[in-house]
Amino acid sequence: MTQVSTGATTALAEPTADIAIGEVIMSARNVSKVYGGTHALRNVDFDIYKGEVTVLLGENGAGKSTLMKIMSGVERPTAGSLQLKGQEIAFSSPTDAVSQGVAIIHQEMNLCLNMTIAQNIFLAREVTRGGVVNKREQNKRAALALSRLEEDIRPDTLVGDLRLGQQQLVEIARALEENAEILIMDEPTSALSVGEVKVLFKVIRDLTAHGVSVVYISHHLDECLEIGDEAVVLRDGSVVNHARMKDVDMAWMVTNMVGRAQDELHVPVTATPGETILTIDNLIVADPQNPGRTAVRDFSLDVRKGEVIGIYGLMGSGRTELLETIIGRNKAQGGAIGFAGQDITKMSIAQRIARGIYLVPEDRQRDGLVQGQTVGFNLSLASILGFLKGPFVSRRREKARTAEIIRNTRVKASSAKALIGSLSGGNQQKVVIGKALMTDPRLVLLDEPTRGIDIGAKADIFRFMADLADQGIAVIFTTSDVSEVLTSCSRVLVVSRGRITAEFAPEDVTRERVLAAADDSHQTLDSIDSQTTSHTQDGTQK
């Protein structure tokens, strides 16, 4: 157990005297990393500047996370070296890196769900007094770290009782408590609401003003433009370009990341909708985390075969609870759900899957994949009964179908025998979607399907949706990224406070109308149109 003085605080680090703001504080030189026969990194040079935000861009599998793991002591390079404050350094472990001022917030959350927030923040570096963990001091300091993120959660709350965005904030609070001089943030906002992102950016600016260096990785390119000072692009394990952020725009980032213009990545839906397959009538759902609160109220919707319905909503809008009720994970408190002419309101999850409904969950790590298993195992898990031949599984048929899905979903894996943990986040998400396709669905529900994945993988996922619609399969997806509902839907719904506040046809949807409808559930479309007109006339966003 590592002892930490109870006198420590979450005060910001002060600039070191030997390195000025804007000068290089840490570097990677000719760094390469090989896993088996795969080159994850090839001769990478990368600099981190004191008191600045360096944005690291690239598609999933480009090598971003691998490079950051090397620079934070999680991995060792196959070749090349690291320099910290002008001296060559070789971290023996993440703990060694933290002791020398380098901390990382990983893309996939690394929390113990059966422990409290405070216990997670101080895990392996407990605050002790007389050899005994000082829970009171840990709770005090955890509360202070959370307060910097403007999050009012009791530090003795179990992490497993938190929603995904709050768990993300716990990860960030843990890194802040380590008082690092160099803070690496790998997809820190993937589960955060718009308001939480604003608070995080305020914290980042506060950190850099005090000399802390930040490496920022995000697939939300608008965030990168807003928060970054320097942009570096990785592609296929190599640095392909870098520039000061003031000289960068969205087109520069996309073209360097994927080698294609942004317009080429848009995938419109062209299928002609058929007959109604899903009917939701006055649905009422309690909040699973707070039964006294209503998450979905008086929700009615008809969905037709071949439609792609995009639902935009902020965190807490009820979008996740809606999809989980359609699949049967949550119970309806009122109203009814009909599917293909049958009332399925009281059916089990298994019965609904058997009828052709499948949910791709928001948290792929916790709810969508079996860690430690292979790609093939994960793909066939939900459809294994379909491969039975008497009491035995026909491995030949299973293998053939799995290989077909891997090709169709463009999963980048050495084979179906590859461990799921060896894949990038975008390829893991494709596996979760592939698992849904193996059930031969008639309705696919996707909850934040592009969370934490790059722009190229996003294009692939929206291409899947369009292909499903062409086959007459209905698709409903939720998102908190307004740009995703502007080009890839048959219809766009905006949800706020558990209700539909607006509905748009593709030709009518605009960013301003969607955001206005999401901000206030009491607005009418007339007021939204009025705000849109005002925005167009004076050029300021309402």
Side-chain angles (χ1 to χ4, degrees), residues 298-518:
D298 301 324
F299 195 103
S300 296
L301 175 67
D302 290 338
V303 180
R304 295 189 290 171
K305 295 179 179 179
E307 274 196 302
V308 177
I309 307 295
I311 298 181
Y312 175 82
L314 302 176
M315 196 74 71
S317 63
R319 59 190 188 186
T320 294
E321 291 82 359
L322 172 66
L323 296 194
E324 290 182 345
T325 305
I326 295 173
I327 194 61
R329 188 171 180 178
N330 297 331
K331 290 184 178 180
Q333 302 298 306
I337 303 174
F339 182 73
Q342 284 187 298
D343 186 348
I344 65 168
T345 311
K346 296 183 179 180
M347 287 186 183
S348 67
I349 295 176
Q351 289 173 318
R352 298 184 199 209
I353 292 175
R355 279 160 177 75
I357 306 175
Y358 198 90
L359 169 66
V360 175
E362 179 182 19
D363 190 340
R364 61 175 172 265
Q365 293 294 324
R366 185 182 66 184
D367 300 325
L369 298 168
V370 179
Q371 300 300 322
Q373 287 289 350
T374 65
V375 171
F377 178 93
N378 275 280
L379 280 170
S380 62
L381 184 60
S383 56
I384 196 67
L385 293 179
F387 299 107
L388 287 179
K389 188 174 183 180
F392 303 103
V393 174
S394 173
R395 297 300 179 187
R396 181 183 59 80
R397 289 174 49 225
E398 180 192 11
K399 182 178 179 180
R401 178 63 170 153
T402 298
E404 178 188 358
I405 292 294
I406 289 175
R407 287 194 303 271
N408 292 345
T409 55
R410 303 184 183 183
V411 173
K412 293 180 181 179
S414 56
S415 72
K417 295 180 180 179
L419 291 177
I420 195 69
S422 68
L423 273 58
S424 66
N427 283 297
Q428 289 184 17
Q429 183 71 326
K430 291 178 184 179
V431 170
V432 179
I433 293 173
K435 182 169 69 170
L437 300 183
M438 295 217 13
T439 66
D440 294 324
R442 292 192 285 171
L443 169 64
V444 177
L445 313 170
L446 302 105
D447 193 2
E448 287 276 13
T450 64
R451 184 178 73 83
I453 65 175
D454 64 75
I455 193 165
K458 286 183 181 181
D460 285 341
I461 287 174
F462 284 111
R463 187 176 295 107
F464 301 153
M465 294 186 197
D467 289 346
L468 290 173
D470 288 339
Q471 299 169 40
I473 298 169
V475 177
I476 304 175
F477 77 94
T478 69
T479 182
S480 55
D481 184 345
V482 67
S483 64
E484 294 184 355
V485 296
L486 300 181
T487 58
S488 305
C489 306
S490 311
R491 280 188 288 157
V492 177
L493 305 180
V494 182
V495 175
S496 179
R497 303 179 192 178
R499 291 191 176 99
I500 297 174
T501 58
E503 179 175 331
F504 303 108
E507 62 271 19
D508 297 326
V509 66
T510 65
R511 179 180 298 270
E512 293 79 10
R513 297 186 81 195
V514 170
L515 291 176

Side-chain angles (χ1 to χ4, degrees), residues 14-27:
E14 293 297 332
T16 52
D18 55 333
I19 298 177
I21 299 292
E23 293 186 356
V24 174
I25 186 172
M26 189 176 184
S27 299

Side-chain angles (χ1 to χ4, degrees), residues 55-73:
V55 170
L56 184 56
L57 300 163
E59 293 189 273
N60 285 108
K64 305 184 303 297
S65 294
T66 300
L67 177 60
M68 291 302 100
K69 287 177 180 177
I70 288 172
M71 299 190 79
S72 60

